[in-house]
Amino acid sequence: DLYTDFQSVGLGNKESLYELKQVSKKTIPIPIPVANSQIITAEKFAEDIQTDYPNAEVTTTGHSLGEYLALYVSAEKGWANVGFNGPDPYDVLSPEAKKWVKENSHMLFNYRNKADILGNFGGNGTGAGIPVDMDMAEMISREELKNINMIDLLSKIDVNNLKGIIDSHRLSVWEFDETGNVAINSSYDNRSAIQIQSEKNLYAKMAELSLLANKLKASRGGLSSNGVMFLNSSQTLLTVEHITESTKVAIESIVNIYKQAIDELEEIWEKNILIAQSIGTSLSYGEILEALEAGGVTKYSVVFEPMAYYREKITDALKIGESFDNLASDIKESIEKIIETDEKLADQIAQGV
């Protein structure tokens, strides 16, 4: 694991793990490959599972190095993932996997403690990261962790801060609600995490309905003569109704999150003014505004710019809801047509024949 952490996660060595060995007393130690990297063995394990269970829907999970490997496998295989405190494997992904994660990041949930310098290593190229504030001190900012290399990171770790690093990285810091979802404290610092989580869930619902529509479309040719598919149509309708209801709740939640953010923007601006006035007591209101602007703080940057962003997000969510409704209606209409074209089968089923 330590070799993998340093050589694969840190240095991007995907194929083999190496040990330094001295060939003779007169030579300096040289790296000798001693095993396949865990990236390779994880992918091989995934292929074995795929072979043994060809019709199964496979998902991955993990913590720390386990989540790094799980994310890698999900990206390469096109599988969903939910895990914790995992460094991001984007740099070692194949070109095909990199393309897939850009289009399907809503399928990947890598919950990360903001204070965890190990779990936040490697940036967020996969788009899986959900940064959660757990009221722990950050030793290194997540911005710095995007570009820092493993050598520099290790140089910042010493005995004095080792306990804090380990505590922030533990799996046990995560809590769950009664439905099994990750519980995220609804503080202002977690607004981004809640937004990301809600949007990922919404896109996942849309993908679920799209997959259902594609399955229905692919099997349509034999529907009128297939009693099993006819019976499944009622189950499909129930599934559509369930997804539709949960999606409405998700959209409403997202819209409310962004509306609340908009409402708080003006309040944040006024607090900034009060703080500035308490410092520059001899300055006029206009002089305080000029001083704030000189420091890069304007009402445009604090209020109007983020407000435009939040309104755009609300519009996007409502558009997804509209597309969702249209797709759900198409599925229901298709099933109704199938039933209408096979009245004989419908009568037989109704009579219990």
Side-chain angles (χ1 to χ4, degrees):
D1 283 356
L2 291 175
Y3 281 158
T4 303
D5 284 336
F6 185 76
Q7 297 181 27
S8 297
V9 179
L11 302 179
N13 181 2
K14 184 175 176 178
E15 300 301 328
S16 299
L17 297 179
Y18 293 84
E19 283 184 355
L20 288 175
K21 292 191 176 180
Q22 193 165 357
V23 179
S24 69
K25 292 181 179 180
K26 296 182 179 180
T27 60
I28 62 171
I30 60 173
I32 303 293
V34 293
N36 286 330
S37 76
Q38 289 192 54
I39 295 173
I40 298 300
T41 54
E43 194 165 19
K44 176 64 169 62
F45 175 70
E47 288 168 359
D48 290 344
I49 293 295
Q50 213 170 13
T51 300
D52 292 343
Y53 305 94
N55 299 317
E57 181 181 342
V58 186
T59 62
T60 71
T61 188
H63 168 255
S64 189
L65 174 58
E67 172 62 355
Y68 174 87
L69 297 171
L71 267 176
Y72 173 84
V73 167
S74 281
E76 295 291 342
K77 295 292 184 183
W79 294 343
N81 163 270
V82 178
F84 304 88
N85 294 355
D88 197 86
Y90 184 80
D91 289 342
V92 296
L93 296 181
S94 66
E96 294 77 16
K98 287 181 177 179
K99 181 176 183 295
W100 184 85
V101 296
K102 287 187 184 301
E103 298 170 353
N104 298 279
S105 63
H106 61 271
M107 294 175 63
L108 309 173
F109 293 69
N110 180 17
Y111 290 95
R112 291 161 139 182
N113 181 353
K114 281 184 178 180
D116 176 19
I117 66 172
L118 302 176
N120 283 286
F121 183 79
N124 188 33
T126 63
I130 303 176
V132 181
D133 183 85
M134 293 184 157
D135 200 22
M136 295 180 177
E138 291 184 41
M139 193 179 78
I140 303 175
S141 71
R142 286 180 297 115
E143 288 300 316
E144 188 178 353
L145 283 168
K146 287 181 181 179
N147 302 310
I148 196 171
N149 60 50
M150 182 61 77
I151 304 295
D152 289 339
L153 179 63
L154 291 174
S155 70
K156 292 178 180 290
I157 298 175
D158 58 42
V159 176
N160 295 325
N161 54 37
L162 192 57
K163 184 180 183 302
I165 290 170
I166 293 173
D167 287 344
S168 66
H169 191 60
R170 292 184 191 279
L171 181 60
S172 57
V173 301
W174 298 97
E175 296 181 352
F176 304 85
D177 62 24
E178 64 278 1
T179 61
N181 293 314
V182 176
I184 300 177
N185 186 290
S186 58
S187 66
Y188 182 83
D189 290 330
N190 275 328
R191 181 173 302 285
S192 175
I194 294 170
Q195 289 168 359
I196 294 170
Q197 184 186 47
S198 299
E199 288 179 4
K200 281 179 177 285
N201 283 328
L202 177 59
Y203 281 108
K205 290 294 180 185
M206 189 67 186
E208 190 178 351
L209 192 66
S210 296
L211 180 63
L212 192 63
N214 289 335
K215 285 182 177 179
L216 190 64
K217 184 178 179 181
S219 61
R220 184 174 294 181
L223 281 173
S224 62
S225 58
N226 190 328
V228 174
M229 286 305 301
F230 180 89
L231 289 169
N232 284 345
S233 65
S234 59
Q235 183 179 350
T236 303
L237 283 172
L238 288 174
T239 303
V240 172
E241 289 296 334
H242 172 71
I243 297 174
T244 300
E245 287 304 313
S246 57
T247 301
K248 286 179 179 177
V249 172
I251 291 173
E252 184 178 344
S253 173
I254 289 173
V255 170
N256 286 337
I257 287 169
Y258 285 119
K259 281 184 176 178
Q260 184 179 352
I262 289 172
D263 292 340
E264 289 176 353
L265 290 173
E266 194 72 42
E267 183 181 341
I268 292 168
W269 172 251
E270 292 303 326
K271 283 182 179 178
N272 282 332
I273 296 294
L274 289 174
I275 292 170
Q277 286 176 328
S278 68
I279 297 170
T281 53
S282 61
L283 298 178
S284 68
Y285 184 79
E287 288 172 330
I288 286 174
L289 291 181
E290 288 178 4
L292 287 172
E293 186 174 355
V297 179
T298 65
K299 191 165 186 176
Y300 176 80
S301 64
V302 174
V303 180
F304 299 132
E305 192 172 38
M307 187 180 289
Y309 169 78
Y310 292 142
R311 282 175 175 162
E312 184 180 346
K313 284 291 187 180
I314 290 173
T315 301
D316 289 343
L318 294 176
K319 283 182 179 177
I320 291 173
E322 186 177 338
S323 299
F324 198 97
D325 288 340
N326 291 337
L327 186 55
S329 296
D330 289 343
I331 292 175
K332 292 176 183 178
E333 187 178 336
S334 296
I335 293 174
E336 287 170 1
K337 286 181 179 178
I338 291 164
I339 296 172
E340 289 173 4
T341 56
D342 206 333
E343 293 181 0
K344 182 178 180 181
L345 179 59
D347 289 340
Q348 289 177 338
I349 291 173
Q351 295 169 19
V353 177

